[in-house]
Coordinates of all heavy atoms in Angstrom, one line a residue:
M19 N -132.7 -82.1 53.2 CA -131.4 -82.1 52.5 C -131.2 -83.6 52.2 O -131.2 -84.5 53.0 CB -130.3 -81.6 53.5 CG -128.9 -81.8 52.9 SD -127.6 -81.1 53.9 CE -127.7 -82.1 55.3
D20 N -130.9 -83.9 50.9 CA -130.6 -85.2 50.4 C -129.2 -85.5 50.0 O -128.9 -86.4 49.3 CB -131.5 -85.4 49.2 CG -133.0 -85.4 49.6 OD1 -133.3 -85.8 50.7 OD2 -133.8 -85.0 48.7
T21 N -128.3 -84.7 50.5 CA -126.9 -84.8 50.1 C -126.1 -85.4 51.2 O -126.2 -85.1 52.4 CB -126.3 -83.4 49.8 OG1 -127.1 -82.8 48.8 CG2 -124.9 -83.5 49.3
D22 N -125.2 -86.3 50.9 CA -124.3 -86.9 51.8 C -123.0 -86.1 51.9 O -122.2 -86.0 50.9 CB -123.9 -88.3 51.4 CG -123.0 -89.1 52.3 OD1 -122.3 -88.4 53.2 OD2 -122.9 -90.3 52.2
T23 N -122.8 -85.4 53.0 CA -121.6 -84.5 53.1 C -120.3 -85.2 53.1 O -119.2 -84.5 53.0 CB -121.7 -83.5 54.3 OG1 -121.8 -84.3 55.5 CG2 -123.0 -82.6 54.2
H24 N -120.3 -86.5 53.1 CA -119.0 -87.2 52.9 C -118.6 -87.3 51.5 O -117.4 -87.5 51.1 CB -119.1 -88.7 53.4 CG -119.4 -88.8 54.9 ND1 -120.7 -88.9 55.4 CD2 -118.6 -88.7 56.0 CE1 -120.6 -89.0 56.7 NE2 -119.4 -88.8 57.1
L25 N -119.6 -87.1 50.6 CA -119.3 -87.2 49.2 C -119.4 -85.9 48.4 O -118.7 -85.7 47.4 CB -120.4 -88.1 48.5 CG -120.5 -89.5 49.2 CD1 -121.6 -90.3 48.6 CD2 -119.1 -90.3 49.0
E26 N -120.1 -84.9 48.9 CA -120.3 -83.6 48.2 C -120.7 -82.5 49.2 O -121.2 -82.8 50.2 CB -121.2 -83.7 47.0 CG -122.6 -84.2 47.3 CD -123.4 -84.5 46.1 OE1 -123.7 -83.5 45.3 OE2 -123.9 -85.6 45.9
D27 N -120.6 -81.3 48.8 CA -121.0 -80.2 49.6 C -122.6 -80.2 49.7 O -123.3 -80.5 48.7 CB -120.6 -78.9 49.0 CG -119.1 -78.7 49.1 OD1 -118.4 -79.4 49.9 OD2 -118.5 -77.9 48.3
A28 N -123.1 -79.8 50.8 CA -124.5 -79.7 51.0 C -124.8 -78.3 51.6 O -124.1 -77.7 52.3 CB -125.0 -80.7 52.0
Q29 N -126.0 -77.8 51.1 CA -126.4 -76.5 51.6 C -127.9 -76.5 52.1 O -128.7 -77.1 51.4 CB -126.3 -75.4 50.5 CG -124.9 -75.2 50.0 CD -124.9 -74.3 48.8 OE1 -125.8 -74.1 48.1 NE2 -123.7 -73.7 48.6
L30 N -128.1 -75.9 53.2 CA -129.5 -75.7 53.7 C -129.9 -74.3 53.4 O -129.2 -73.4 53.8 CB -129.6 -76.0 55.2 CG -129.5 -77.4 55.6 CD1 -129.5 -77.5 57.1 CD2 -130.6 -78.3 55.0
K31 N -130.9 -74.1 52.6 CA -131.3 -72.7 52.2 C -132.5 -72.1 52.9 O -133.1 -71.2 52.5 CB -131.5 -72.7 50.7 CG -130.3 -73.1 49.9 CD -130.5 -73.1 48.4 CE -129.2 -73.5 47.7 NZ -129.3 -73.7 46.3
M32 N -132.8 -72.7 54.1 CA -133.9 -72.2 54.9 C -133.4 -70.9 55.6 O -132.3 -70.7 55.9 CB -134.2 -73.3 56.0 CG -134.7 -74.6 55.4 SD -134.8 -75.9 56.7 CE -136.3 -75.3 57.6
S33 N -134.4 -70.1 55.9 CA -134.2 -68.8 56.6 C -133.9 -69.1 58.1 O -134.2 -70.2 58.6 CB -135.4 -67.9 56.5 OG -136.4 -68.4 57.3
V34 N -133.3 -68.2 58.8 CA -133.0 -68.3 60.2 C -134.3 -68.5 60.9 O -134.4 -69.4 61.9 CB -132.2 -67.1 60.8 CG1 -132.1 -67.2 62.3 CG2 -130.8 -67.1 60.1
A35 N -135.4 -67.8 60.5 CA -136.7 -68.0 61.2 C -137.2 -69.4 61.0 O -137.7 -70.0 62.0 CB -137.7 -67.0 60.6
E36 N -137.1 -70.0 59.8 CA -137.5 -71.4 59.6 C -136.7 -72.4 60.4 O -137.2 -73.3 61.0 CB -137.4 -71.8 58.1 CG -138.4 -71.1 57.2 CD -138.1 -71.3 55.8 OE1 -137.0 -71.0 55.3 OE2 -139.0 -71.7 55.1
L37 N -135.4 -72.2 60.5 CA -134.5 -73.0 61.3 C -134.8 -72.9 62.7 O -134.9 -74.0 63.4 CB -133.0 -72.6 61.1 CG -132.5 -72.9 59.7 CD1 -131.2 -72.2 59.5 CD2 -132.2 -74.4 59.5
T38 N -135.1 -71.7 63.2 CA -135.5 -71.5 64.6 C -136.8 -72.2 65.0 O -136.9 -72.8 66.1 CB -135.6 -70.0 64.9 OG1 -134.3 -69.4 64.7 CG2 -136.0 -69.7 66.4
Q39 N -137.7 -72.2 64.1 CA -139.0 -72.8 64.4 C -139.1 -74.3 64.2 O -140.0 -74.9 64.8 CB -140.1 -72.2 63.5 CG -140.4 -70.7 63.8 CD -141.3 -70.1 62.8 OE1 -141.8 -70.7 61.9 NE2 -141.5 -68.8 63.0
A40 N -138.1 -74.9 63.5 CA -138.2 -76.3 63.2 C -136.9 -77.0 63.5 O -136.8 -77.7 64.5 CB -138.6 -76.5 61.7
D41 N -135.9 -76.9 62.6 CA -134.7 -77.7 62.7 C -133.9 -77.6 64.0 O -133.4 -78.5 64.5 CB -133.8 -77.4 61.5 CG -134.4 -78.0 60.2 OD1 -135.6 -77.9 60.0 OD2 -133.6 -78.5 59.4
W42 N -133.9 -76.3 64.5 CA -133.0 -76.1 65.7 C -133.7 -76.5 67.0 O -133.1 -76.5 68.0 CB -132.6 -74.6 65.7 CG -131.6 -74.3 64.7 CD1 -130.8 -75.2 63.9 CD2 -131.1 -73.0 64.3 NE1 -130.0 -74.5 63.1 CE2 -130.2 -73.1 63.3 CE3 -131.5 -71.7 64.7 CZ2 -129.5 -72.1 62.7 CZ3 -130.9 -70.6 64.1 CH2 -129.9 -70.8 63.1
V43 N -135.0 -76.7 67.0 CA -135.8 -76.9 68.3 C -135.2 -78.1 69.0 O -134.9 -78.0 70.2 CB -137.3 -77.2 68.0 CG1 -138.0 -77.6 69.2 CG2 -137.9 -75.9 67.4
P44 N -135.0 -79.3 68.5 CA -134.4 -80.4 69.3 C -133.0 -80.2 69.8 O -132.7 -80.6 70.9 CB -134.5 -81.6 68.3 CG -134.6 -81.1 67.0 CD -135.3 -79.7 67.1
F45 N -132.2 -79.5 69.0 CA -130.8 -79.2 69.4 C -130.8 -78.2 70.6 O -130.1 -78.5 71.6 CB -130.0 -78.6 68.3 CG -129.8 -79.5 67.1 CD1 -130.6 -79.5 66.0 CD2 -128.8 -80.5 67.2 CE1 -130.4 -80.4 65.0 CE2 -128.6 -81.4 66.2 CZ -129.4 -81.3 65.0
R46 N -131.6 -77.2 70.5 CA -131.7 -76.3 71.7 C -132.3 -76.9 72.9 O -131.8 -76.7 74.0 CB -132.5 -75.0 71.3 CG -131.8 -74.2 70.2 CD -132.5 -72.9 70.0 NE -132.2 -72.1 71.1 CZ -132.7 -70.9 71.2 NH1 -133.5 -70.4 70.3 NH2 -132.4 -70.1 72.3
E47 N -133.2 -77.8 72.7 CA -133.8 -78.5 73.9 C -132.7 -79.4 74.6 O -132.6 -79.4 75.8 CB -135.0 -79.4 73.3 CG -135.7 -80.1 74.4 CD -136.7 -79.2 75.2 OE1 -137.0 -78.1 74.7 OE2 -137.1 -79.6 76.3
V48 N -132.0 -80.2 73.8 CA -131.0 -81.1 74.4 C -129.9 -80.2 75.0 O -129.4 -80.5 76.1 CB -130.4 -82.0 73.3 CG1 -129.2 -82.8 73.8 CG2 -131.5 -83.0 72.9
M49 N -129.4 -79.2 74.3 CA -128.3 -78.4 74.8 C -128.7 -77.7 76.1 O -127.8 -77.5 77.0 CB -127.9 -77.3 73.8 CG -127.2 -77.9 72.6 SD -126.9 -76.5 71.4 CE -126.0 -77.3 70.2
S50 N -130.0 -77.3 76.3 CA -130.3 -76.6 77.5 C -130.6 -77.5 78.7 O -130.6 -77.0 79.8 CB -131.6 -75.8 77.2 OG -132.7 -76.6 77.1
K51 N -130.7 -78.8 78.4 CA -131.1 -79.7 79.5 C -130.1 -80.8 79.9 O -130.3 -81.5 80.8 CB -132.5 -80.3 79.2 CG -133.6 -79.3 79.2 CD -134.9 -79.9 79.0 CE -136.0 -78.8 79.0 NZ -137.3 -79.4 78.8
T52 N -129.1 -81.0 79.0 CA -128.2 -82.1 79.3 C -126.7 -81.6 79.1 O -126.5 -80.5 78.6 CB -128.4 -83.3 78.3 OG1 -127.9 -82.9 77.0 CG2 -129.9 -83.7 78.3
N53 N -125.8 -82.5 79.4 CA -124.4 -82.2 79.1 C -123.9 -83.0 77.9 O -122.7 -83.3 77.8 CB -123.5 -82.6 80.3 CG -123.8 -81.6 81.5 OD1 -124.0 -80.4 81.3 ND2 -123.8 -82.1 82.7
A54 N -124.9 -83.5 77.1 CA -124.5 -84.3 75.9 C -123.6 -83.5 75.0 O -123.8 -82.3 74.8 CB -125.8 -84.7 75.2
F55 N -122.7 -84.2 74.3 CA -121.9 -83.6 73.3 C -122.8 -83.3 72.1 O -123.8 -84.0 71.9 CB -120.8 -84.6 72.8 CG -119.7 -84.8 73.8 CD1 -119.9 -84.6 75.1 CD2 -118.5 -85.3 73.3 CE1 -118.8 -84.9 76.0 CE2 -117.5 -85.6 74.2 CZ -117.6 -85.4 75.5
T56 N -122.5 -82.3 71.4 CA -123.3 -81.9 70.2 C -122.4 -82.0 69.0 O -121.3 -81.4 68.9 CB -123.9 -80.5 70.3 OG1 -124.7 -80.4 71.4 CG2 -124.7 -80.1 69.1
M57 N -122.8 -82.8 68.0 CA -122.0 -83.0 66.8 C -122.4 -82.0 65.8 O -123.6 -81.9 65.4 CB -122.1 -84.4 66.2 CG -121.2 -84.5 65.0 SD -121.2 -86.2 64.3 CE -119.9 -86.9 65.4
L58 N -121.4 -81.2 65.2 CA -121.7 -80.3 64.2 C -121.5 -80.9 62.8 O -120.4 -81.5 62.6 CB -120.8 -79.1 64.4 CG -120.8 -78.4 65.7 CD1 -119.8 -77.3 65.8 CD2 -122.2 -77.8 66.0
G59 N -122.4 -80.7 61.9 CA -122.3 -81.3 60.6 C -121.5 -80.4 59.6 O -121.0 -79.3 60.0
H60 N -121.4 -80.9 58.4 CA -120.6 -80.2 57.4 C -121.5 -79.5 56.4 O -120.9 -79.0 55.4 CB -119.6 -81.1 56.8 CG -118.6 -81.7 57.7 ND1 -117.7 -80.9 58.4 CD2 -118.4 -83.0 58.1 CE1 -117.0 -81.7 59.2 NE2 -117.4 -82.9 59.0
A61 N -122.8 -79.4 56.6 CA -123.6 -78.7 55.6 C -123.5 -77.2 55.9 O -123.1 -76.8 57.0 CB -125.1 -79.1 55.8
Q62 N -123.7 -76.4 54.9 CA -123.7 -74.9 55.0 C -125.1 -74.4 55.3 O -126.0 -74.9 54.7 CB -123.2 -74.3 53.7 CG -121.7 -74.4 53.4 CD -121.4 -73.8 52.1 OE1 -121.7 -74.3 51.1 NE2 -120.7 -72.7 52.2
L63 N -125.2 -73.5 56.2 CA -126.4 -72.8 56.5 C -126.3 -71.5 55.8 O -125.8 -70.5 56.3 CB -126.7 -72.6 58.0 CG -126.8 -73.9 58.9 CD1 -127.0 -73.5 60.3 CD2 -127.9 -74.8 58.4
I64 N -126.8 -71.5 54.6 CA -126.7 -70.3 53.7 C -127.2 -69.0 54.3 O -126.5 -68.0 54.1 CB -127.4 -70.6 52.3 CG1 -126.8 -71.8 51.6 CG2 -127.3 -69.3 51.4 CD1 -125.3 -71.7 51.3
A65 N -128.2 -69.0 55.1 CA -128.8 -67.8 55.7 C -127.9 -67.3 56.8 O -128.0 -66.1 57.2 CB -130.2 -68.1 56.3
V66 N -127.0 -68.1 57.3 CA -126.1 -67.7 58.4 C -124.6 -67.4 57.9 O -124.0 -66.4 58.2 CB -126.1 -68.7 59.5 CG1 -125.1 -68.3 60.6 CG2 -127.5 -69.0 60.0
D67 N -124.1 -68.4 57.1 CA -122.7 -68.3 56.7 C -122.6 -68.9 55.3 O -122.7 -70.2 55.1 CB -121.8 -69.0 57.6 CG -120.3 -68.8 57.3 OD1 -120.0 -68.5 56.2 OD2 -119.5 -69.1 58.2
H68 N -122.5 -68.1 54.3 CA -122.5 -68.6 52.9 C -121.2 -69.2 52.5 O -121.1 -70.0 51.5 CB -122.8 -67.4 51.9 CG -123.1 -67.9 50.5 ND1 -122.1 -68.0 49.6 CD2 -124.3 -68.3 50.0 CE1 -122.7 -68.5 48.5 NE2 -124.0 -68.6 48.7
D69 N -120.1 -69.0 53.3 CA -118.8 -69.4 52.9 C -118.2 -70.7 53.6 O -117.3 -71.3 53.1 CB -117.8 -68.3 53.2 CG -118.1 -67.0 52.4 OD1 -118.4 -67.2 51.2 OD2 -118.0 -65.9 52.9
H70 N -118.8 -71.0 54.7 CA -118.3 -72.1 55.5 C -119.4 -73.1 56.0 O -120.5 -72.7 56.3 CB -117.6 -71.6 56.8 CG -116.5 -70.6 56.5 ND1 -116.7 -69.3 56.6 CD2 -115.2 -70.8 56.2 CE1 -115.6 -68.7 56.3 NE2 -114.7 -69.6 56.0
P71 N -119.0 -74.4 56.1 CA -120.0 -75.4 56.6 C -120.1 -75.1 58.1 O -119.2 -74.4 58.7 CB -119.3 -76.7 56.4 CG -117.9 -76.4 56.2 CD -117.8 -75.0 55.6
V72 N -121.1 -75.6 58.7 CA -121.4 -75.4 60.2 C -120.2 -75.7 61.0 O -119.8 -75.0 61.9 CB -122.6 -76.2 60.6 CG1 -122.7 -76.3 62.1 CG2 -123.9 -75.7 60.0
S73 N -119.5 -76.8 60.7 CA -118.4 -77.3 61.5 C -117.2 -76.3 61.5 O -116.3 -76.4 62.4 CB -117.9 -78.6 61.0 OG -117.7 -78.6 59.6
F74 N -117.1 -75.3 60.6 CA -116.1 -74.4 60.5 C -116.6 -72.9 60.5 O -115.8 -72.0 60.2 CB -115.3 -74.5 59.2 CG -114.5 -75.8 59.2 CD1 -115.0 -76.9 58.5 CD2 -113.3 -75.9 59.8 CE1 -114.3 -78.1 58.5 CE2 -112.5 -77.1 59.8 CZ -113.1 -78.2 59.1
S75 N -117.8 -72.7 60.9 CA -118.5 -71.4 60.8 C -118.4 -70.7 62.2 O -119.1 -71.1 63.1 CB -119.9 -71.6 60.4 OG -120.6 -70.3 60.5
Q76 N -117.7 -69.6 62.2 CA -117.7 -68.7 63.4 C -119.1 -68.2 63.7 O -119.5 -68.1 64.8 CB -116.7 -67.6 63.3 CG -116.7 -66.7 64.5 CD -115.6 -65.6 64.5 OE1 -114.7 -65.6 63.6 NE2 -115.8 -64.7 65.3
Q77 N -119.8 -67.8 62.6 CA -121.2 -67.3 62.8 C -122.1 -68.3 63.5 O -122.9 -68.0 64.3 CB -121.8 -66.9 61.5 CG -121.2 -65.6 60.9 CD -120.0 -65.9 59.9 OE1 -119.3 -66.9 60.1 NE2 -119.9 -65.0 59.0
V78 N -122.0 -69.6 63.1 CA -122.8 -70.6 63.8 C -122.3 -70.9 65.2 O -123.0 -70.9 66.2 CB -122.9 -71.9 62.9 CG1 -123.7 -73.0 63.6 CG2 -123.5 -71.6 61.6
V79 N -121.0 -71.3 65.3 CA -120.5 -71.8 66.5 C -120.4 -70.7 67.6 O -121.0 -70.8 68.7 CB -119.1 -72.4 66.3 CG1 -118.4 -72.7 67.7 CG2 -119.1 -73.6 65.4
T80 N -119.8 -69.5 67.3 CA -119.7 -68.5 68.3 C -120.9 -67.6 68.4 O -121.5 -67.4 69.5 CB -118.5 -67.6 67.9 OG1 -117.3 -68.5 67.9 CG2 -118.2 -66.5 69.0
D81 N -121.4 -67.1 67.3 CA -122.5 -66.1 67.3 C -123.8 -66.7 67.8 O -124.5 -66.1 68.5 CB -122.6 -65.4 66.0 CG -121.4 -64.6 65.6 OD1 -120.5 -64.4 66.4 OD2 -121.3 -64.2 64.4
I82 N -124.1 -67.9 67.2 CA -125.4 -68.5 67.6 C -125.3 -69.4 68.8 O -125.9 -69.2 69.8 CB -126.0 -69.3 66.3 CG1 -126.3 -68.2 65.2 CG2 -127.2 -70.1 66.7 CD1 -126.8 -68.8 63.9
I83 N -124.5 -70.5 68.6 CA -124.5 -71.5 69.7 C -123.9 -71.0 71.0 O -124.5 -71.2 72.1 CB -123.7 -72.8 69.2 CG1 -124.4 -73.4 68.0 CG2 -123.6 -73.8 70.4 CD1 -123.7 -74.6 67.4
R84 N -122.8 -70.4 70.9 CA -122.1 -69.9 72.2 C -122.8 -68.6 72.7 O -123.1 -68.6 73.9 CB -120.6 -69.7 72.0 CG -119.9 -70.9 71.6 CD -119.8 -71.9 72.7 NE -118.9 -73.0 72.4 CZ -119.0 -74.2 72.9 NH1 -119.9 -74.5 73.8 NH2 -118.1 -75.1 72.6
D85 N -123.0 -67.6 71.9 CA -123.4 -66.3 72.4 C -125.0 -66.2 72.5 O -125.5 -66.0 73.6 CB -122.9 -65.2 71.5 CG -121.4 -65.0 71.5 OD1 -120.8 -65.5 72.5 OD2 -120.9 -64.4 70.6
K86 N -125.7 -66.5 71.4 CA -127.1 -66.4 71.5 C -127.8 -67.5 72.3 O -128.7 -67.2 73.1 CB -127.7 -66.4 70.0 CG -129.2 -66.1 70.0 CD -129.6 -66.0 68.5 CE -131.1 -65.6 68.5 NZ -131.6 -65.5 67.1
W87 N -127.4 -68.7 72.1 CA -128.0 -69.8 72.9 C -127.4 -70.0 74.2 O -127.9 -70.8 75.0 CB -127.9 -71.1 72.1 CG -128.7 -71.1 70.8 CD1 -129.5 -70.1 70.3 CD2 -128.7 -72.1 69.8 NE1 -130.0 -70.5 69.1 CE2 -129.6 -71.7 68.8 CE3 -128.1 -73.4 69.8 CZ2 -129.8 -72.5 67.7 CZ3 -128.4 -74.2 68.6 CH2 -129.2 -73.8 67.6
Q88 N -126.2 -69.4 74.5 CA -125.5 -69.5 75.8 C -125.1 -70.9 76.1 O -125.2 -71.4 77.2 CB -126.3 -68.9 76.9 CG -126.6 -67.4 76.8 CD -125.3 -66.6 76.9 OE1 -124.6 -66.7 78.0 NE2 -124.9 -65.9 75.9
H89 N -124.7 -71.7 75.1 CA -124.3 -73.1 75.3 C -122.8 -73.2 75.4 O -122.1 -72.7 74.5 CB -124.8 -73.9 74.1 CG -124.4 -75.4 74.2 ND1 -124.9 -76.2 75.2 CD2 -123.5 -76.1 73.6 CE1 -124.4 -77.4 75.1 NE2 -123.5 -77.4 74.1
N90 N -122.4 -73.7 76.5 CA -120.9 -73.8 76.8 C -120.5 -75.3 76.8 O -119.3 -75.6 77.2 CB -120.6 -73.1 78.1 CG -120.8 -71.7 78.0 OD1 -120.4 -71.0 77.0 ND2 -121.4 -71.1 79.0
G91 N -121.3 -76.2 76.3 CA -121.0 -77.6 76.3 C -120.0 -77.9 75.2 O -119.6 -77.1 74.4
I92 N -119.7 -79.2 75.1 CA -118.7 -79.7 74.2 C -119.3 -79.8 72.8 O -120.4 -80.5 72.6 CB -118.1 -81.0 74.6 CG1 -117.3 -80.7 75.9 CG2 -117.2 -81.6 73.6 CD1 -116.8 -82.0 76.6
L93 N -118.7 -79.3 71.8 CA -119.1 -79.4 70.4 C -118.0 -80.2 69.7 O -116.8 -80.0 69.9 CB -119.2 -78.0 69.7 CG -120.1 -77.0 70.4 CD1 -120.0 -75.7 69.7 CD2 -121.5 -77.5 70.3
I94 N -118.5 -81.2 68.9 CA -117.5 -82.1 68.2 C -117.9 -82.1 66.7 O -119.0 -81.7 66.3 CB -117.5 -83.5 68.8 CG1 -118.9 -84.2 68.7 CG2 -117.0 -83.5 70.2 CD1 -119.0 -85.6 69.1
T95 N -117.0 -82.6 66.0 CA -117.2 -82.8 64.5 C -116.3 -84.0 64.1 O -115.7 -84.6 65.0 CB -116.9 -81.6 63.7 OG1 -117.4 -81.8 62.4 CG2 -115.5 -81.2 63.7
Y96 N -116.4 -84.4 62.9 CA -115.6 -85.5 62.4 C -114.9 -85.0 61.2 O -115.3 -84.1 60.5 CB -116.4 -86.7 62.2 CG -117.5 -86.5 61.2 CD1 -117.4 -86.7 59.9 CD2 -118.8 -86.0 61.7 CE1 -118.5 -86.4 59.0 CE2 -119.8 -85.7 60.8 CZ -119.7 -86.0 59.5 OH -120.7 -85.7 58.6
E97 N -113.8 -85.6 60.9 CA -113.0 -85.2 59.7 C -113.5 -85.9 58.4 O -113.9 -87.0 58.5 CB -111.5 -85.7 59.9 CG -110.6 -85.1 58.8 CD -109.2 -85.5 59.1 OE1 -108.8 -85.5 60.3 OE2 -108.4 -85.7 58.2
L98 N -113.6 -85.1 57.4 CA -114.1 -85.7 56.1 C -113.0 -86.4 55.4 O -111.9 -86.1 55.5 CB -114.6 -84.5 55.2 CG -115.9 -83.9 55.7 CD1 -116.3 -82.8 54.8 CD2 -117.0 -85.0 55.7

């Protein structure tokens, strides 16, 4: 992704399988082994939620991070 989400909307068009095998690996690793805060970005994951950026996506936050990954740590974001 070459877009600065402070300036314009950004979309990741990778499939969930691709995200699982690559992009999400370090996040899941850190979330499972530490109490580190996790910052949610403002890009949209088109394969998961076409209408909302990650920072506002119930499908990402609740369905994936909280339910599927069983992560109960602190999630943060920043205001645009």
Side-chain angles (χ1 to χ4, degrees):
M19 176 176 63
D20 295 328
T21 304
D22 182 344
T23 57
H24 296 99
L25 304 174
E26 57 187 300
D27 292 340
Q29 298 177 336
L30 289 175
K31 297 179 180 176
M32 299 170 73
S33 69
V34 171
E36 291 172 306
L37 291 164
T38 300
Q39 292 174 4
D41 288 40
W42 288 347
V43 171
F45 294 99
R46 293 189 71 185
E47 185 75 16
V48 169
M49 288 177 176
S50 70
K51 295 184 177 179
T52 73
N53 291 324
F55 289 22
T56 302
M57 181 175 277
L58 304 175
H60 298 299
Q62 288 178 288
L63 299 179
I64 298 301
V66 178
D67 185 343
H68 193 271
D69 298 319
H70 303 96
V72 167
S73 52
F74 293 98
S75 173
Q76 180 177 345
Q77 288 92 330
V78 175
V79 174
T80 302
D81 299 346
I82 294 175
I83 296 173
R84 297 294 190 204
D85 295 342
K86 186 174 184 181
W87 296 356
Q88 296 293 299
H89 179 69
N90 293 316
I92 296 173
L93 302 174
I94 61 174
T95 191
Y96 54 94
E97 188 174 328
L98 290 176

